[in-house]
Amino acid sequence: MRALALILALLLAALPLRAEEVVMGLSRNTVAITADFDGSEVLIFGAVKREVPILPEPPLQVIVTVEGPLEPVTVWRKARRMGIWVNSEAVEVDSAPGFYAVATSAPWSDVISAVEDLRHEVSIPRAIRSVGAPMEIMDSQSFTEALIRIREAEGLYRVEENSVELRDSTLFDAAITMPANISEGRYVTRVLLTRGGVVVSEHSSELMVSKVGLERWLFNLSRNMPLVYGLLSLAIAAFAGWGASAAFRAMRSG
């Protein structure tokens, strides 16, 4: 037993100490989607714990990612048929985040290598997990690129280089803006420390986005009681139409 304990102690002593480790926090753990929700901003902050002095080279860099709920997406390609545009070909994207933002402390090429990006799935194309395309479609990658372009235009996908403030290679913070058209669900926030393009530490946390108040009630009603929701919508539309008509008649008579 003594020999076994001695061997275990030697093995533990031979293991390398973690030179740098990231700790992080969020300014909020929940985002509430209300009737007048027009977006929100989340502050991600933290520090680097060390067991050795700060290494001058290569410089420390920080990457912050916020990933929304993963969902399957069907991407269609339109073609002109008999003078009109119609959906012609489709590719099923098995898993794509509804929202994805990346913030870095330096230009992208300086913070992470292509190999580490592939390993840790950091960039937007890597966050889209897999694509299944029919055999007759030879350029399935173009469908993924189209999905990225569409969601970039909607503000749901973006890369913000040089937006992470890193002070004395120890303290950092970044502000991520979430647009009004985000979907509810569990959002994963990651912070990665890199040196020379290699990830040396990683930490993640969760952020919940959910509808509250009238928005939540209407959402639950549409899912649990669709007939009642439809009748209520018709009643509101009819009342609004009657009110507008009555107001117009009153204005004309006045």
Side-chain angles (χ1 to χ4, degrees):
M1 291 296 294
R2 287 184 178 179
L4 183 60
L6 179 60
I7 293 173
L8 180 60
L10 291 174
L11 289 175
L12 291 175
L15 291 175
L17 295 175
R18 198 181 191 99
E20 294 172 312
E21 186 174 1
V22 61
V23 292
M24 63 168 289
L26 304 176
S27 61
R28 58 175 69 184
N29 293 319
T30 59
V31 172
I33 300 177
T34 59
D36 58 349
F37 179 74
D38 60 354
S40 182
E41 185 177 79
V42 179
L43 179 67
I44 297 97
F45 57 89
V48 181
K49 297 195 301 181
R50 291 185 174 87
E51 299 174 349
V52 296
I54 298 177
L55 299 174
E57 294 293 336
L60 182 72
Q61 305 293 353
V62 179
I63 305 173
V64 175
T65 71
V66 179
E67 181 183 72
L70 298 173
E71 56 190 6
V73 180
T74 302
V75 183
W76 288 90
R77 171 183 286 163
K78 291 185 178 295
R80 196 174 183 85
R81 298 285 188 269
M82 301 180 65
I84 60 174
W85 290 96
V86 296
N87 294 330
S88 61
E89 297 175 319
V91 167
E92 297 286 342
V93 177
D94 296 333
S95 180
F99 173 82
Y100 197 80
V102 184
T104 66
S105 59
W108 181 260
S109 59
D110 295 340
V111 297
I112 192 167
S113 67
V115 173
E116 289 292 279
D117 181 22
L118 177 63
R119 180 179 301 164
H120 294 273
E121 298 179 338
V122 182
S123 64
I124 293 174
R126 298 303 180 191
I128 299 175
R129 300 295 188 260
S130 60
V131 176
M135 295 295 294
E136 62 271 16
I137 297 179
M138 305 303 296
D139 59 340
S140 60
Q141 183 62 30
S142 65
F143 286 77
T144 304
E145 294 170 354
L147 173 64
I148 293 174
R149 286 196 305 271
I150 292 170
R151 293 195 168 176
E152 283 178 341
E154 295 173 345
L156 295 173
Y157 287 177
R158 62 179 182 269
V159 177
E160 300 176 356
E161 298 180 338
N162 300 301
S163 62
V164 178
E165 185 174 355
L166 178 61
R167 294 178 290 276
D168 300 323
S169 295
T170 301
L171 302 176
F172 66 88
D173 62 79
I176 301 295
T177 301
M178 309 178 78
N181 55 341
I182 58 172
S183 58
E184 64 175 346
R186 183 177 64 92
Y187 286 62
V188 178
T189 301
R190 290 193 298 166
V191 175
L192 301 95
L193 298 182
T194 68
R195 280 191 183 275
V198 178
V199 176
V200 297
S201 181
E202 179 179 350
H203 192 277
S204 63
S205 184
E206 290 187 1
L207 173 70
M208 290 301 301
V209 176
S210 58
K211 295 181 176 71
V212 297
L214 180 61
E215 289 287 312
R216 165 55 62 180
W217 182 78
L218 290 174
F219 178 80
N220 288 338
L221 184 65
S222 67
R223 294 297 186 273
N224 301 328
M225 304 177 68
L227 179 59
V228 175
Y229 177 79
L231 293 174
L232 180 63
S233 299
L234 289 175
I236 293 175
F239 179 79
W242 174 84
S245 177
F248 183 72
R249 287 197 302 270
M251 290 174 60
R252 291 186 61 182
S253 62

